[in-house]
Amino acid sequence: MQHTATPDGTGSGVAAPYLPTDRTVPTRSRERASYDRELVHSILDEAYLCHLGFVRDGSPVVLPTLFGRIGERLYVHGSTGSRPLRSAKTADPGLPVCLTVTHVDALVLARSAFHHSMNYRSVVVHGTAVTVTDPEERRLALDAIVDQVVPGRSRDSRPADARELAATAVIRLNLDEVSAKVRTGGPNDEPEDGSLPHWTGIVPLTRGYAAPVPADDLDPAIRVPDYLTAL
């Protein structure tokens, strides 16, 4: 998806960083934390699966779900009967949530078990999710969620009809309290372990796509669209 960052108000067009808060400053490896707005956006835009955490009846719950981003807002959709979406509608001022996105870029294999790790890029968002009621914002949010999975797909599918929209709830989470965290590089072995006879290094991971498989009832005359071959 194409999104634009929020300028810093100076007229320079440079995106201002997010402001750190008590909840967005990590207790460990603080040097890996970043509040760079463009970095946060790039990590979010490369993902389509997030994990949404909230408290239900006094117990923590974390749900994997699709999401979409429009500017400084994240959108999550689901059934109007789902617990978090009902809670976001009835709670005042909304539902406190924590939303996370993570990409694993490599496995880091050290000589010692203790120093095994991963190279990763992650974003954590804290805030209050509210129900989207404006029809136009709901439409844009649902298109954004579809395009987050496959860019361009919303223009090549039937929009939700009135019945489907009535069964679908959308919540919005503003990107206010946000941090990214990134690890790169190789293992951090102890100097005294340098002579141990164990393989050490990284195992890069890449995300790939196989050839699209048409549905059994697809008209053979309909070709694979360009936005899919571009993947």
Side-chain angles (χ1 to χ4, degrees):
M1 298 183 67
Q2 287 75 41
H3 306 284
T4 57
T6 300
D8 63 1
T10 64
S12 65
V14 177
Y18 295 104
L19 296 177
T21 70
D22 289 342
R23 295 196 294 187
T24 62
V25 176
T27 56
R28 295 184 66 252
S29 302
R30 293 190 179 193
E31 73 282 359
R32 295 177 184 167
S34 173
Y35 306 92
D36 181 85
R37 197 176 297 262
E38 292 183 356
L39 174 62
V40 167
H41 289 180
S42 69
I43 293 172
L44 291 172
D45 293 348
E46 193 176 326
Y48 42 77
L49 178 70
C50 72
H51 286 83
L52 183 70
F54 57 97
V55 175
R56 182 178 69 195
D57 300 330
S59 299
V61 178
V62 178
L63 298 177
T65 184
L66 300 176
F67 76 99
R69 182 178 76 86
I70 300 178
E72 293 298 317
R73 294 175 170 181
L74 299 183
Y75 293 94
V76 174
H77 82 300
S79 166
T80 53
S82 72
R83 288 282 187 91
L85 275 71
R86 286 208 319 266
S87 298
K89 184 176 182 178
T90 58
D92 185 16
L95 178 67
V97 300
C98 178
L99 183 148
T100 65
V101 164
T102 304
H103 303 282
V104 179
D105 297 319
L107 307 178
V108 180
L109 308 183
R111 292 179 177 87
S112 69
F114 179 81
H115 285 297
H116 279 63
S117 186
M118 297 184 301
N119 284 345
Y120 62 88
R121 291 163 293 137
S122 65
V123 165
V124 177
V125 185
H126 296 275
T128 300
V130 297
T131 300
V132 177
T133 57
D134 178 75
E136 179 64 11
E137 185 179 2
R138 277 166 50 86
R139 182 189 66 79
L140 292 174
L142 292 172
D143 284 350
I145 292 170
V146 172
D147 286 336
Q148 187 88 14
V149 179
V150 178
R153 181 62 182 175
S154 67
R155 297 188 297 274
D156 191 32
S157 56
R158 176 182 65 80
D161 59 26
R163 177 182 59 82
E164 293 165 338
L165 287 173
T168 304
V170 178
I171 59 176
R172 178 181 69 239
L173 177 62
N174 291 339
L175 291 174
D176 293 327
E177 219 174 338
V178 189
S179 64
K181 200 173 182 183
V182 177
R183 187 201 191 279
T184 60
N188 295 323
D189 273 312
E190 301 294 339
E192 59 269 25
D193 290 338
S195 61
L196 292 177
H198 308 303
W199 189 92
T200 183
I202 67 169
V203 181
L205 302 179
T206 58
R207 187 174 77 181
Y209 296 88
V213 179
D216 292 340
D217 60 350
L218 179 68
D219 183 343
I222 299 177
R223 302 178 58 185
V224 176
D226 291 342
Y227 61 80
L228 281 184
T229 57
L231 292 177

